[in-house]
Structures are given as structure tokens and as C-alpha cells.
Amino acid sequence: MIIGATLVLLLILLLCSVPVATALVILGLSIGALFSDYPLYRAVGEITWSASTDFLLLSIPLFVMLGEILLRAGIAERTYNALNQWLSWLPGGLLQANIGTSALFAATSGSSVATAATITTVALPQGRRFKYSEKLFCGSIAAGGTLGILIPPSINLIVYGFLTNTSIPRLFLAGIVPGIILAILFMTCIAVACMVNPALSGGRQSYSWEARIHGLLDLIPVFIIFFVVIGSIYAGLATPTESAALGVLASLLLALSHRTVNLKFFQQVFEGTMRTSAMIMLILIAANFLNFILDSIGLADMLKEFVFGLGTSPLQTLLIVIALYIVLGFFVETLSLMVITIPIIAPVLIGLGYDPIWFGVVLILLIEMALITPPVGLNLYVVQGVRRTGSISDVMVGAAPFVVMIAIMIVLLIIFPNIALYFTQFV
Amino acid sequence: MDIVHKVEKISQVASWGGGLLLLLTALLIAVEIVLRKVFSISLGGTDELSRYALAISCSWGFSFALFRKSHIRIDILYRLCPQRLQQYLDIFSLSMFLIYLGVVSWFACFVLKTSLLRHSTANTPLATPLWIPQSLWLAGLIWFCIVILVLLTVTVWRQIKGNRGESEDFASIVTLEEEIEEIEEVGAKS
């Protein structure tokens, strides 16, 4: 009864296009008033204050700012050109650079829209010049953009960790190997496709070693920032929030060295950071309040009992959950999908004996899939939006092979959970 | 609609302030780590001050995100609706937003009042009187309420007068094209 009422109310609010954060709080206030004898709504001030001052959550705006600084300082262009020089010998040259740059970039940037749009702007003219298959070219950018949410530092993993009370350093560590394997799967997929059908690839470019070494000057700083952020967490030097602060400092120094810093630069960085982080924070604050209400009326426990009562095996339940995410992922924006479903679904699966860290990684893979599956795959539309010509279905077709790769990765993780979990035992 | 532009400008300036506050926080934390690890000196209180920075910058950033239409709305049905119905949905959404922020701000006042009455200080070496960060935070929330109220009033007023179309709208859902155009504009400038 309570579960049904909650779901129906949530659906109505969301379908009426009420902002997600607002929908969550209005839902919380309503079911608190309906199903609890206590005036739970009175706690909304305290709960908002405590979520707003959560030290862990500070890492989100700082990682967003780190990405904004790199983006506005033109680091994406430099990385793309340098990676292209290094990867051009592989079958599918520029396509490989698309995956590489997106992986490096989306890893640090808070906005997948900005990252995918920037990389499309930089890459597409080159792809056309060298006559690459436009379908696969666009698909590779859209798919590459999803890699960043698995490879740390990942804001999506922080969101998952916050909502499930899971250790962020362990989540980050668990994301690295599957993220790298997935990137290799993507690159292999491109290489094989280009060898089987050379028409997909474009004209080969060759670069002298001198140019490549020169390009390293642009690559090394990006890697340094990555290692500062990730290394400081694992070496025990810094918490995720502190490592984000170190990353902001490092990226600012890099931007200064390229002489791209002026007043306009800061204005863009600040505005970009604030609009993204204020949006994410409002949703998390709202989700936090809703969780409090759901806990108070015991909804998560009810759901757990309901699922246990079904008598399905843990694997069957997992497969149902995966199917649910794939279907919802067709229609619902990914951050909203996460904050709405995680508090309800994660406890059920963890109760069935699945590792919370492992499930976090699987969930992120499902979210990656949602970003490139029609009809609401955000990355597809961003690439198409920059491209402006042709049909969106080209991008969808081009991204399809990568959806299959993500599916393979999920299956691998189910069969060999240690791909994600092996390294987490060291933290 | 002059008042809307004024309110938007203030929100934009607030976002610069919030961004600057976050940047300074990041630098402070970074300096703290270096001092702590290399010279074994602790500044103390960095952690606490940065928490307040987060709360204050975000509460003042919400309204800017609203003007840039960043607060996510699910548009599956919205996109299928005729324009007139979309306008009603916009008004409904803003009203819900106002209820949410109204309730939060109201109870946030009690949080501040409690801190003032009990002379609450943070349970830390700094012993910051909590009313200082809390009142800045609350001011941001109240500003957000005012912004929502202004946008709601203007949108409803236009609806009544029926002069949609010729003027820009503040309440609708952002389309991806607008968002990408903005990114490209930024790219062209830099």
C-alpha cells in the first residue's frame, strides 16, 4: 500500500515535469504526512543543513571545478591532438583518439554534455577531413564520453557512495580496472571493425617521433593531475575531497602555464561550476531528506521483505534489477535515475548478499549504457547537436557496438566479481 | 520585464561569489595538506570552514542554476504536450519549487533561531558560533525563494495577459540545442 502510493505519487510528479529535486522533497513531505504519526517534516531544516555541510559532498563542486578549469583552458584540444599522434598507428587512428581523449576528459569533467560537445567540436572536422565513417566516428565519441563516469574521479560514484554510505576510496579503486578493461574493449572493437572493413577508417596520418615527443608536453600534465588526485587518495595522503582540492590547484597551475587565465576565464569557470554543482547538490539534499522519510516509515524494509517473499534467487533478482535499469535507462535522465532508484534498490541487493562496492560498479555500467541507448541517450543527442547534419539514427547505429561491449563487461563482472573487487582489499 | 533581469544579474553575481568561495576553499585545503604532510603543521579548522563554504555557495547558487535551467526536469511527457499545456506545467513546477523552498527556508529559520538561543558553537577547536554560517546560508535560501516567486509571478501574469511568444521565457525546460549553442559560444570566445 505504502510502496504503491509512493511510486504513483513519484510518477505523477515526475511526469508533470516537476524538477527532480522538488519532486523528491514534495514526495517525502506527503508520505511523511500520510504514513507517519510523527511530524517528520519539521526535520527538513536540520537535514538540509547537515547535508549542505557534508565534507564528502564538497568533493563534487571541486571535481566539477577541476573539469571546468581544464575545459576552459583548452586542454581538451591539446590532449586530443597529442593522443592522436600517439594512437594514429592503430587500426582506426582518430577513432582511437576519440576514445582515449573522452576517457581522460570525462574522467575529470563534471558535465558530460560539455565534455562530449567539446570533443565533438574538436574531433569531427578532422574525421571528415580524413574521410572516416561518420556513423562510427560519432558513435565512438558518444560511447567514449561514458567511460569517464566509471574511471575515477567519478562524480557518479561519489553520488552512489553518498546514497549507500559506501567508502568512496574503495569505490574509486573498484572502478579503475573495469574502466580500463572497458576502454580496451572499445578500442579493440574499433580496431577489429576497421580491419574487417577498412572503409570505416579514414586516411592514415603519420607523425614523426619529434612531433610525438613534443605532444607529450601536452599529455604529461593531464596524467599528473590524474595521479595527483587518485594517488593522493590511495597513498592515504588525502580524503576524496582533499584530493579534489589538490586537483583544482594542479589544474589551475596548468591553466596558468598555458596563459589562458584572465577575468573572463574565471567568470566562465565559476558560472559553469556553480550551475552544475548547485543542481547536483539540490538533488542530493532532496534525496537525503527523502531517504530520511523512507527510513522513518520503514519503506526500505518493507520492500526488502516483499522481494524476499517473492522467493526469487539472488541471481534472478539481480537480473530483474538489471533489466529494470536498462528499460528505465531508455527514458530517464541518468542522475535522476540514480538518486531515485539507489536508496530503494541497493539495500535489497545488499541484503541478498551482493557486495555494495561491486553493485556500485555494475550500476555505473548500466548508467553508461543508458547514456548511449535511444531514445533518451544524452550523449547521442549531444554529439548529434554539434554535428547538425544527417540523422540522429546515424549516431545511434554508430554507438550500438559499444552498447554490446558494455553488456559484455557487465556479464564479465557478474561472472568474475573480482575484476572490480580484487584491488579494493588493499584499502 | 526589468525586474527579472535585475534578479538574474544579482543571481549571476552571487554565482561568481560562490565560485570564488569554492576556489578559495580548494586552495586553502590544498595548502593545508601540503603544510600537514611536508611540514607537519596543522592550520586547524580548514575542514570546518570548508563545510560552511559548501553550504553558503550552494544556497546562493541555486537561483543561478534556475536561470540557466539547470535543475533537471523529466521531459518525456512535456515534449509531447502542446505549448499551452507546457506553460501550465511550467507554472505547476515553479509552484512546487516554491512550496519546497518555502518549507525548507521556514524550518531553516528555526535551525538558526535554535543556534542563536542556545549560543550554539561548533564542536571543534574553532568553536565557530553557528549563527554566522547559518545566517549566510539561510539568506541564500531566502533569495532563492524570492527568485522563484518573481519568476512565478511574471509567468502567471504573462499567462493571464496572453502575451507569450514575443518575449523570452524563463520557466520552460532547456532544450539540448540551447545548451550546446551556449557551449559553442563559450568556445568561440575563449
mmCIF file of all heavy atoms in Angstrom, chain A residues 17 19-20 22 49 52-53 55 65 72 237 242 245 267 271 274-275 278-279 281 333 381 388, chain B residues 12 15-16 26 33 36 50-51 54-55 57-58 70 72-73 93 96-97 134 176 182 184 186:
data_model
loop_
_atom_site.group_PDB
_atom_site.id
_atom_site.type_symbol
_atom_site.label_atom_id
_atom_site.label_comp_id
_atom_site.label_asym_id
_atom_site.label_seq_id
_atom_site.Cartn_x
_atom_site.Cartn_y
_atom_site.Cartn_z
ATOM 1 N N SER A 17 6.687 16.945 -15.054
ATOM 2 C CA SER A 17 7.925 17.689 -15.290
ATOM 3 C C SER A 17 8.317 18.592 -14.121
ATOM 4 O O SER A 17 8.975 19.601 -14.305
ATOM 5 C CB SER A 17 7.864 18.502 -16.592
ATOM 6 O OG SER A 17 7.055 19.640 -16.435
ATOM 7 N N PRO A 19 10.666 19.685 -11.290
ATOM 8 C CA PRO A 19 12.099 19.443 -11.146
ATOM 9 C C PRO A 19 12.358 18.276 -10.180
ATOM 10 O O PRO A 19 11.684 18.158 -9.152
ATOM 11 C CB PRO A 19 12.622 20.749 -10.557
ATOM 12 C CG PRO A 19 11.655 21.768 -11.025
ATOM 13 C CD PRO A 19 10.323 21.090 -11.103
ATOM 14 N N VAL A 20 13.333 17.428 -10.521
ATOM 15 C CA VAL A 20 13.511 16.175 -9.789
ATOM 16 C C VAL A 20 13.719 16.403 -8.285
ATOM 17 O O VAL A 20 13.115 15.729 -7.459
ATOM 18 C CB VAL A 20 14.685 15.373 -10.393
ATOM 19 C CG1 VAL A 20 14.963 14.130 -9.579
ATOM 20 C CG2 VAL A 20 14.363 15.005 -11.822
ATOM 21 N N THR A 22 12.720 18.842 -6.449
ATOM 22 C CA THR A 22 11.456 19.249 -5.856
ATOM 23 C C THR A 22 10.521 18.059 -5.708
ATOM 24 O O THR A 22 9.892 17.876 -4.663
ATOM 25 C CB THR A 22 10.783 20.313 -6.742
ATOM 26 O OG1 THR A 22 11.733 21.325 -7.004
ATOM 27 C CG2 THR A 22 9.572 20.894 -6.079
ATOM 28 N N TRP A 49 20.555 21.409 6.397
ATOM 29 C CA TRP A 49 21.815 21.994 6.875
ATOM 30 C C TRP A 49 22.907 20.932 6.962
ATOM 31 O O TRP A 49 24.035 21.151 6.530
ATOM 32 C CB TRP A 49 21.606 22.674 8.232
ATOM 33 C CG TRP A 49 22.884 23.098 8.916
ATOM 34 C CD1 TRP A 49 23.435 22.532 10.029
ATOM 35 C CD2 TRP A 49 23.771 24.164 8.530
ATOM 36 N NE1 TRP A 49 24.599 23.181 10.359
ATOM 37 C CE2 TRP A 49 24.833 24.194 9.450
ATOM 38 C CE3 TRP A 49 23.765 25.095 7.488
ATOM 39 C CZ2 TRP A 49 25.883 25.104 9.372
ATOM 40 C CZ3 TRP A 49 24.824 26.015 7.417
ATOM 41 C CH2 TRP A 49 25.860 26.009 8.346
ATOM 42 N N SER A 52 24.040 19.949 3.545
ATOM 43 C CA SER A 52 24.737 21.055 2.879
ATOM 44 C C SER A 52 26.149 21.240 3.413
ATOM 45 O O SER A 52 26.975 21.890 2.780
ATOM 46 C CB SER A 52 23.993 22.382 3.076
ATOM 47 O OG SER A 52 22.679 22.272 2.651
ATOM 48 N N THR A 53 26.419 20.723 4.611
ATOM 49 C CA THR A 53 27.747 20.904 5.188
ATOM 50 C C THR A 53 28.500 19.577 5.256
ATOM 51 O O THR A 53 29.413 19.417 6.052
ATOM 52 C CB THR A 53 27.653 21.493 6.612
ATOM 53 O OG1 THR A 53 26.732 20.689 7.365
ATOM 54 C CG2 THR A 53 27.177 22.912 6.597
ATOM 55 N N PHE A 55 31.191 17.120 4.409
ATOM 56 C CA PHE A 55 32.528 17.333 3.841
ATOM 57 C C PHE A 55 32.746 16.511 2.577
ATOM 58 O O PHE A 55 33.388 16.949 1.637
ATOM 59 C CB PHE A 55 33.603 17.013 4.886
ATOM 60 C CG PHE A 55 34.980 17.474 4.493
ATOM 61 C CD1 PHE A 55 35.257 18.819 4.326
ATOM 62 C CD2 PHE A 55 35.998 16.561 4.279
ATOM 63 C CE1 PHE A 55 36.528 19.263 3.960
ATOM 64 C CE2 PHE A 55 37.275 16.996 3.914
ATOM 65 C CZ PHE A 55 37.539 18.342 3.754
ATOM 66 N N MET A 65 34.698 21.808 -10.673
ATOM 67 C CA MET A 65 35.548 22.957 -10.961
ATOM 68 C C MET A 65 36.832 22.521 -11.664
ATOM 69 O O MET A 65 37.277 23.147 -12.625
ATOM 70 C CB MET A 65 35.875 23.707 -9.674
ATOM 71 C CG MET A 65 36.685 24.965 -9.909
ATOM 72 S SD MET A 65 36.952 25.911 -8.406
ATOM 73 C CE MET A 65 35.481 26.901 -8.333
ATOM 74 N N ARG A 72 37.941 24.932 -19.994
ATOM 75 C CA ARG A 72 38.024 26.333 -20.437
ATOM 76 C C ARG A 72 39.443 26.726 -20.795
ATOM 77 O O ARG A 72 39.652 27.730 -21.459
ATOM 78 C CB ARG A 72 37.520 27.295 -19.362
ATOM 79 C CG ARG A 72 36.208 26.955 -18.753
ATOM 80 C CD ARG A 72 35.051 27.277 -19.669
ATOM 81 N NE ARG A 72 33.812 26.927 -19.006
ATOM 82 C CZ ARG A 72 32.660 26.727 -19.630
ATOM 83 N NH1 ARG A 72 32.584 26.837 -20.922
ATOM 84 N NH2 ARG A 72 31.586 26.402 -18.951
ATOM 85 N N LEU A 237 47.227 10.032 1.671
ATOM 86 C CA LEU A 237 47.592 11.429 1.945
ATOM 87 C C LEU A 237 46.357 12.301 2.081
ATOM 88 O O LEU A 237 46.373 13.309 2.765
ATOM 89 C CB LEU A 237 48.451 11.981 0.802
ATOM 90 C CG LEU A 237 49.872 11.463 0.696
ATOM 91 C CD1 LEU A 237 50.529 11.968 -0.568
ATOM 92 C CD2 LEU A 237 50.663 11.924 1.920
ATOM 93 N N GLU A 242 39.820 16.256 -0.233
ATOM 94 C CA GLU A 242 41.125 16.904 -0.242
ATOM 95 C C GLU A 242 41.839 16.674 -1.568
ATOM 96 O O GLU A 242 42.514 17.565 -2.089
ATOM 97 C CB GLU A 242 41.984 16.400 0.922
ATOM 98 C CG GLU A 242 41.450 16.859 2.271
ATOM 99 C CD GLU A 242 42.159 16.199 3.445
ATOM 100 O OE1 GLU A 242 42.780 15.135 3.249
ATOM 101 O OE2 GLU A 242 42.083 16.748 4.553
ATOM 102 N N ALA A 245 40.625 19.035 -4.054
ATOM 103 C CA ALA A 245 41.208 20.367 -3.864
ATOM 104 C C ALA A 245 42.605 20.422 -4.464
ATOM 105 O O ALA A 245 42.970 21.390 -5.142
ATOM 106 C CB ALA A 245 41.247 20.721 -2.376
ATOM 107 N N GLN A 267 35.269 33.923 -14.782
ATOM 108 C CA GLN A 267 33.816 34.071 -14.816
ATOM 109 C C GLN A 267 33.171 32.805 -15.395
ATOM 110 O O GLN A 267 32.205 32.273 -14.839
ATOM 111 C CB GLN A 267 33.445 35.290 -15.657
ATOM 112 C CG GLN A 267 31.961 35.591 -15.603
ATOM 113 C CD GLN A 267 31.537 36.522 -16.723
ATOM 114 O OE1 GLN A 267 32.293 37.382 -17.159
ATOM 115 N NE2 GLN A 267 30.309 36.340 -17.180
ATOM 116 N N GLU A 271 30.787 30.265 -13.256
ATOM 117 C CA GLU A 271 29.396 30.036 -13.652
ATOM 118 C C GLU A 271 29.162 28.570 -13.995
ATOM 119 O O GLU A 271 28.173 27.973 -13.583
ATOM 120 C CB GLU A 271 29.036 30.936 -14.847
ATOM 121 C CG GLU A 271 28.915 32.390 -14.454
ATOM 122 C CD GLU A 271 28.402 33.270 -15.589
ATOM 123 O OE1 GLU A 271 28.036 32.734 -16.643
ATOM 124 O OE2 GLU A 271 28.378 34.495 -15.398
ATOM 125 N N MET A 274 29.145 26.559 -10.730
ATOM 126 C CA MET A 274 28.008 26.787 -9.849
ATOM 127 C C MET A 274 26.725 26.176 -10.395
ATOM 128 O O MET A 274 25.944 25.577 -9.666
ATOM 129 C CB MET A 274 27.807 28.288 -9.607
ATOM 130 C CG MET A 274 28.849 28.915 -8.708
ATOM 131 S SD MET A 274 29.087 28.043 -7.162
ATOM 132 C CE MET A 274 27.544 28.415 -6.364
ATOM 133 N N ARG A 275 26.501 26.320 -11.709
ATOM 134 C CA ARG A 275 25.215 25.810 -12.201
ATOM 135 C C ARG A 275 25.178 24.285 -12.114
ATOM 136 O O ARG A 275 24.154 23.711 -11.763
ATOM 137 C CB ARG A 275 24.927 26.283 -13.619
ATOM 138 C CG ARG A 275 26.003 25.920 -14.611
ATOM 139 C CD ARG A 275 25.724 26.559 -15.927
ATOM 140 N NE ARG A 275 24.699 25.801 -16.637
ATOM 141 C CZ ARG A 275 24.413 25.997 -17.906
ATOM 142 N NH1 ARG A 275 25.025 26.943 -18.566
ATOM 143 N NH2 ARG A 275 23.501 25.268 -18.485
ATOM 144 N N ALA A 278 25.326 23.348 -8.104
ATOM 145 C CA ALA A 278 24.095 23.691 -7.391
ATOM 146 C C ALA A 278 22.988 22.705 -7.766
ATOM 147 O O ALA A 278 22.222 22.252 -6.908
ATOM 148 C CB ALA A 278 23.663 25.119 -7.720
ATOM 149 N N MET A 279 22.951 22.340 -9.047
ATOM 150 C CA MET A 279 21.940 21.374 -9.491
ATOM 151 C C MET A 279 22.133 20.024 -8.797
ATOM 152 O O MET A 279 21.192 19.460 -8.236
ATOM 153 C CB MET A 279 22.040 21.244 -11.018
ATOM 154 C CG MET A 279 21.129 20.244 -11.664
ATOM 155 S SD MET A 279 21.804 18.573 -11.708
ATOM 156 C CE MET A 279 23.056 18.707 -12.968
ATOM 157 N N MET A 281 23.835 19.339 -6.061
ATOM 158 C CA MET A 281 23.667 19.431 -4.606
ATOM 159 C C MET A 281 22.202 19.474 -4.214
ATOM 160 O O MET A 281 21.786 18.830 -3.256
ATOM 161 C CB MET A 281 24.372 20.684 -4.067
ATOM 162 C CG MET A 281 25.865 20.557 -3.904
ATOM 163 S SD MET A 281 26.354 19.296 -2.721
ATOM 164 C CE MET A 281 25.808 20.061 -1.180
ATOM 165 N N GLU A 333 16.612 10.462 -17.395
ATOM 166 C CA GLU A 333 17.923 11.105 -17.303
ATOM 167 C C GLU A 333 18.713 10.410 -16.194
ATOM 168 O O GLU A 333 18.168 10.015 -15.169
ATOM 169 C CB GLU A 333 17.670 12.588 -17.006
ATOM 170 C CG GLU A 333 18.849 13.480 -17.048
ATOM 171 C CD GLU A 333 19.613 13.439 -15.749
ATOM 172 O OE1 GLU A 333 19.000 13.184 -14.705
ATOM 173 O OE2 GLU A 333 20.829 13.631 -15.803
ATOM 174 N N TYR A 381 22.552 12.637 -28.272
ATOM 175 C CA TYR A 381 21.973 13.897 -28.700
ATOM 176 C C TYR A 381 22.990 15.023 -28.688
ATOM 177 O O TYR A 381 22.916 15.940 -29.502
ATOM 178 C CB TYR A 381 20.760 14.246 -27.833
ATOM 179 C CG TYR A 381 19.606 13.366 -28.171
ATOM 180 C CD1 TYR A 381 19.425 12.157 -27.522
ATOM 181 C CD2 TYR A 381 18.725 13.717 -29.189
ATOM 182 C CE1 TYR A 381 18.385 11.315 -27.862
ATOM 183 C CE2 TYR A 381 17.691 12.886 -29.537
ATOM 184 C CZ TYR A 381 17.520 11.683 -28.867
ATOM 185 O OH TYR A 381 16.497 10.861 -29.224
ATOM 186 N N ARG A 388 24.970 18.591 -36.306
ATOM 187 C CA ARG A 388 23.964 19.390 -37.020
ATOM 188 C C ARG A 388 23.464 18.816 -38.337
ATOM 189 O O ARG A 388 22.385 19.144 -38.772
ATOM 190 C CB ARG A 388 24.470 20.819 -37.272
ATOM 191 C CG ARG A 388 24.501 21.640 -36.012
ATOM 192 C CD ARG A 388 25.020 23.032 -36.282
ATOM 193 N NE ARG A 388 25.553 23.616 -35.057
ATOM 194 C CZ ARG A 388 24.808 24.164 -34.132
ATOM 195 N NH1 ARG A 388 23.512 24.249 -34.304
ATOM 196 N NH2 ARG A 388 25.328 24.645 -33.033
ATOM 197 N N GLN B 12 23.520 36.025 -10.861
ATOM 198 C CA GLN B 12 24.768 35.746 -11.574
ATOM 199 C C GLN B 12 25.971 36.196 -10.745
ATOM 200 O O GLN B 12 26.940 35.461 -10.587
ATOM 201 C CB GLN B 12 24.753 36.472 -12.921
ATOM 202 C CG GLN B 12 25.866 36.018 -13.835
ATOM 203 C CD GLN B 12 25.900 36.801 -15.140
ATOM 204 O OE1 GLN B 12 25.276 37.857 -15.256
ATOM 205 N NE2 GLN B 12 26.630 36.291 -16.103
ATOM 206 N N SER B 15 26.626 33.874 -8.111
ATOM 207 C CA SER B 15 27.308 32.655 -8.553
ATOM 208 C C SER B 15 28.814 32.892 -8.677
ATOM 209 O O SER B 15 29.618 32.003 -8.412
ATOM 210 C CB SER B 15 26.735 32.158 -9.883
ATOM 211 O OG SER B 15 27.337 32.810 -10.963
ATOM 212 N N TRP B 16 29.198 34.111 -9.085
ATOM 213 C CA TRP B 16 30.641 34.399 -9.114
ATOM 214 C C TRP B 16 31.192 34.332 -7.699
ATOM 215 O O TRP B 16 32.264 33.761 -7.460
ATOM 216 C CB TRP B 16 30.926 35.797 -9.687
ATOM 217 C CG TRP B 16 30.446 35.975 -11.091
ATOM 218 C CD1 TRP B 16 30.125 34.973 -11.968
ATOM 219 C CD2 TRP B 16 30.207 37.201 -11.777
ATOM 220 N NE1 TRP B 16 29.703 35.513 -13.156
ATOM 221 C CE2 TRP B 16 29.748 36.868 -13.074
ATOM 222 C CE3 TRP B 16 30.348 38.545 -11.438
ATOM 223 C CZ2 TRP B 16 29.416 37.847 -14.017
ATOM 224 C CZ3 TRP B 16 30.034 39.519 -12.368
ATOM 225 C CH2 TRP B 16 29.565 39.172 -13.658
ATOM 226 N N ALA B 26 39.184 25.458 -2.007
ATOM 227 C CA ALA B 26 40.049 24.428 -2.577
ATOM 228 C C ALA B 26 41.512 24.761 -2.313
ATOM 229 O O ALA B 26 42.305 23.904 -1.902
ATOM 230 C CB ALA B 26 39.797 24.306 -4.082
ATOM 231 N N ILE B 33 46.972 20.578 3.248
ATOM 232 C CA ILE B 33 47.538 19.228 3.077
ATOM 233 C C ILE B 33 49.053 19.304 2.953
ATOM 234 O O ILE B 33 49.776 18.546 3.590
ATOM 235 C CB ILE B 33 46.960 18.558 1.807
ATOM 236 C CG1 ILE B 33 45.457 18.417 1.942
ATOM 237 C CG2 ILE B 33 47.599 17.198 1.584
ATOM 238 C CD1 ILE B 33 44.788 18.047 0.646
ATOM 239 N N ARG B 36 50.571 20.086 6.240
ATOM 240 C CA ARG B 36 50.412 18.975 7.182
ATOM 241 C C ARG B 36 51.385 17.843 6.871
ATOM 242 O O ARG B 36 52.030 17.299 7.749
ATOM 243 C CB ARG B 36 48.970 18.459 7.104
ATOM 244 C CG ARG B 36 48.583 17.516 8.215
ATOM 245 C CD ARG B 36 47.127 17.128 8.086
ATOM 246 N NE ARG B 36 46.911 16.293 6.902
ATOM 247 C CZ ARG B 36 45.759 16.237 6.222
ATOM 248 N NH1 ARG B 36 44.739 16.972 6.586
ATOM 249 N NH2 ARG B 36 45.637 15.457 5.176
ATOM 250 N N SER B 50 35.472 24.828 5.360
ATOM 251 C CA SER B 50 35.094 24.455 4.011
ATOM 252 C C SER B 50 33.679 23.882 3.963
ATOM 253 O O SER B 50 32.987 24.017 2.961
ATOM 254 C CB SER B 50 36.113 23.489 3.402
ATOM 255 O OG SER B 50 36.490 22.531 4.332
ATOM 256 N N ARG B 51 33.251 23.258 5.059
ATOM 257 C CA ARG B 51 31.853 22.812 5.104
ATOM 258 C C ARG B 51 30.895 23.998 4.981
ATOM 259 O O ARG B 51 29.911 23.952 4.246
ATOM 260 C CB ARG B 51 31.550 22.130 6.432
ATOM 261 C CG ARG B 51 32.173 20.782 6.613
ATOM 262 C CD ARG B 51 32.119 20.421 8.090
ATOM 263 N NE ARG B 51 32.953 19.266 8.349
ATOM 264 C CZ ARG B 51 32.472 18.028 8.445
ATOM 265 N NH1 ARG B 51 31.182 17.816 8.314
ATOM 266 N NH2 ARG B 51 33.273 17.030 8.669
ATOM 267 N N LEU B 54 30.734 25.307 1.489
ATOM 268 C CA LEU B 54 29.876 24.493 0.623
ATOM 269 C C LEU B 54 28.417 24.909 0.783
ATOM 270 O O LEU B 54 27.709 25.171 -0.193
ATOM 271 C CB LEU B 54 30.034 23.007 0.951
ATOM 272 C CG LEU B 54 29.108 22.071 0.176
ATOM 273 C CD1 LEU B 54 29.456 22.057 -1.298
ATOM 274 C CD2 LEU B 54 29.166 20.655 0.734
ATOM 275 N N ALA B 55 27.952 24.978 2.030
ATOM 276 C CA ALA B 55 26.547 25.298 2.276
ATOM 277 C C ALA B 55 26.198 26.677 1.720
ATOM 278 O O ALA B 55 25.177 26.846 1.053
ATOM 279 C CB ALA B 55 26.255 25.248 3.778
ATOM 280 N N SER B 57 27.882 28.622 -0.577
ATOM 281 C CA SER B 57 27.987 28.795 -2.024
ATOM 282 C C SER B 57 26.832 28.102 -2.734
ATOM 283 O O SER B 57 26.295 28.614 -3.707
ATOM 284 C CB SER B 57 29.334 28.281 -2.544
ATOM 285 O OG SER B 57 29.439 26.910 -2.295
ATOM 286 N N CYS B 58 26.429 26.931 -2.240
ATOM 287 C CA CYS B 58 25.329 26.237 -2.906
ATOM 288 C C CYS B 58 24.010 26.966 -2.733
ATOM 289 O O CYS B 58 23.267 27.149 -3.691
ATOM 290 C CB CYS B 58 25.196 24.802 -2.407
ATOM 291 S SG CYS B 58 26.471 23.777 -3.103
ATOM 292 N N SER B 70 19.168 24.703 -15.196
ATOM 293 C CA SER B 70 19.994 23.520 -14.943
ATOM 294 C C SER B 70 19.302 22.485 -14.067
ATOM 295 O O SER B 70 19.705 21.338 -14.041
ATOM 296 C CB SER B 70 21.308 23.918 -14.270
ATOM 297 O OG SER B 70 22.092 24.656 -15.159
ATOM 298 N N ILE B 72 17.230 19.687 -13.150
ATOM 299 C CA ILE B 72 16.736 18.676 -14.088
ATOM 300 C C ILE B 72 15.239 18.449 -13.964
ATOM 301 O O ILE B 72 14.705 18.298 -12.862
ATOM 302 C CB ILE B 72 17.456 17.339 -13.849
ATOM 303 C CG1 ILE B 72 18.952 17.503 -14.101
ATOM 304 C CG2 ILE B 72 16.889 16.254 -14.757
ATOM 305 C CD1 ILE B 72 19.747 16.303 -13.696
ATOM 306 N N ARG B 73 14.566 18.449 -15.111
ATOM 307 C CA ARG B 73 13.154 18.057 -15.154
ATOM 308 C C ARG B 73 13.021 16.936 -16.168
ATOM 309 O O ARG B 73 13.700 16.934 -17.192
ATOM 310 C CB ARG B 73 12.292 19.261 -15.563
ATOM 311 C CG ARG B 73 12.320 20.382 -14.540
ATOM 312 C CD ARG B 73 11.734 21.667 -15.090
ATOM 313 N NE ARG B 73 10.307 21.532 -15.396
ATOM 314 C CZ ARG B 73 9.612 22.490 -16.009
ATOM 315 N NH1 ARG B 73 10.186 23.601 -16.380
ATOM 316 N NH2 ARG B 73 8.318 22.305 -16.258
ATOM 317 N N SER B 93 5.292 23.496 -11.943
ATOM 318 C CA SER B 93 6.630 23.171 -11.455
ATOM 319 C C SER B 93 7.191 24.268 -10.562
ATOM 320 O O SER B 93 7.751 23.998 -9.498
ATOM 321 C CB SER B 93 7.594 22.970 -12.628
ATOM 322 O OG SER B 93 7.223 21.837 -13.336
ATOM 323 N N MET B 96 5.512 24.170 -7.191
ATOM 324 C CA MET B 96 6.047 23.101 -6.345
ATOM 325 C C MET B 96 7.411 23.505 -5.781
ATOM 326 O O MET B 96 7.723 23.264 -4.620
ATOM 327 C CB MET B 96 6.208 21.809 -7.165
ATOM 328 C CG MET B 96 4.917 21.130 -7.511
ATOM 329 S SD MET B 96 4.161 20.441 -6.037
ATOM 330 C CE MET B 96 2.496 20.975 -6.260
ATOM 331 N N PHE B 97 8.203 24.138 -6.640
ATOM 332 C CA PHE B 97 9.523 24.607 -6.220
ATOM 333 C C PHE B 97 9.382 25.592 -5.060
ATOM 334 O O PHE B 97 10.122 25.541 -4.077
ATOM 335 C CB PHE B 97 10.216 25.313 -7.397
ATOM 336 C CG PHE B 97 11.634 24.856 -7.640
ATOM 337 C CD1 PHE B 97 12.134 24.723 -8.919
ATOM 338 C CD2 PHE B 97 12.473 24.550 -6.566
ATOM 339 C CE1 PHE B 97 13.442 24.297 -9.139
ATOM 340 C CE2 PHE B 97 13.778 24.131 -6.783
ATOM 341 C CZ PHE B 97 14.259 23.996 -8.070
ATOM 342 N N GLN B 134 25.218 29.909 9.405
ATOM 343 C CA GLN B 134 23.813 29.560 9.172
ATOM 344 C C GLN B 134 23.006 30.734 8.638
ATOM 345 O O GLN B 134 22.118 30.550 7.804
ATOM 346 C CB GLN B 134 23.177 29.006 10.451
ATOM 347 C CG GLN B 134 23.559 27.552 10.669
ATOM 348 C CD GLN B 134 23.090 26.997 11.984
ATOM 349 O OE1 GLN B 134 22.652 27.739 12.864
ATOM 350 N NE2 GLN B 134 23.194 25.688 12.145
ATOM 351 N N LEU B 176 18.331 20.784 -25.636
ATOM 352 C CA LEU B 176 19.741 20.461 -25.766
ATOM 353 C C LEU B 176 20.424 21.412 -26.752
ATOM 354 O O LEU B 176 21.568 21.798 -26.566
ATOM 355 C CB LEU B 176 19.898 19.015 -26.221
ATOM 356 C CG LEU B 176 21.267 18.425 -25.969
ATOM 357 C CD1 LEU B 176 21.557 18.370 -24.487
ATOM 358 C CD2 LEU B 176 21.350 17.045 -26.571
ATOM 359 N N GLU B 182 25.271 27.317 -26.320
ATOM 360 C CA GLU B 182 25.936 28.070 -25.269
ATOM 361 C C GLU B 182 27.392 27.626 -25.132
ATOM 362 O O GLU B 182 28.297 28.438 -25.020
ATOM 363 C CB GLU B 182 25.186 27.833 -23.956
ATOM 364 C CG GLU B 182 25.297 28.956 -22.987
ATOM 365 C CD GLU B 182 24.461 28.652 -21.761
ATOM 366 O OE1 GLU B 182 23.281 28.254 -21.905
ATOM 367 O OE2 GLU B 182 25.000 28.759 -20.677
ATOM 368 N N GLU B 184 29.217 26.231 -27.402
ATOM 369 C CA GLU B 184 29.990 26.654 -28.568
ATOM 370 C C GLU B 184 30.316 28.143 -28.520
ATOM 371 O O GLU B 184 31.387 28.562 -28.927
ATOM 372 C CB GLU B 184 29.227 26.318 -29.848
ATOM 373 C CG GLU B 184 29.280 24.831 -30.133
ATOM 374 C CD GLU B 184 28.521 24.442 -31.378
ATOM 375 O OE1 GLU B 184 27.594 25.175 -31.761
ATOM 376 O OE2 GLU B 184 28.856 23.421 -31.960
ATOM 377 N N VAL B 186 30.824 29.841 -25.838
ATOM 378 C CA VAL B 186 31.925 29.958 -24.885
ATOM 379 C C VAL B 186 33.223 29.590 -25.573
ATOM 380 O O VAL B 186 34.239 30.258 -25.450
ATOM 381 C CB VAL B 186 31.684 29.051 -23.659
ATOM 382 C CG1 VAL B 186 32.957 28.957 -22.834
ATOM 383 C CG2 VAL B 186 30.553 29.610 -22.826
#
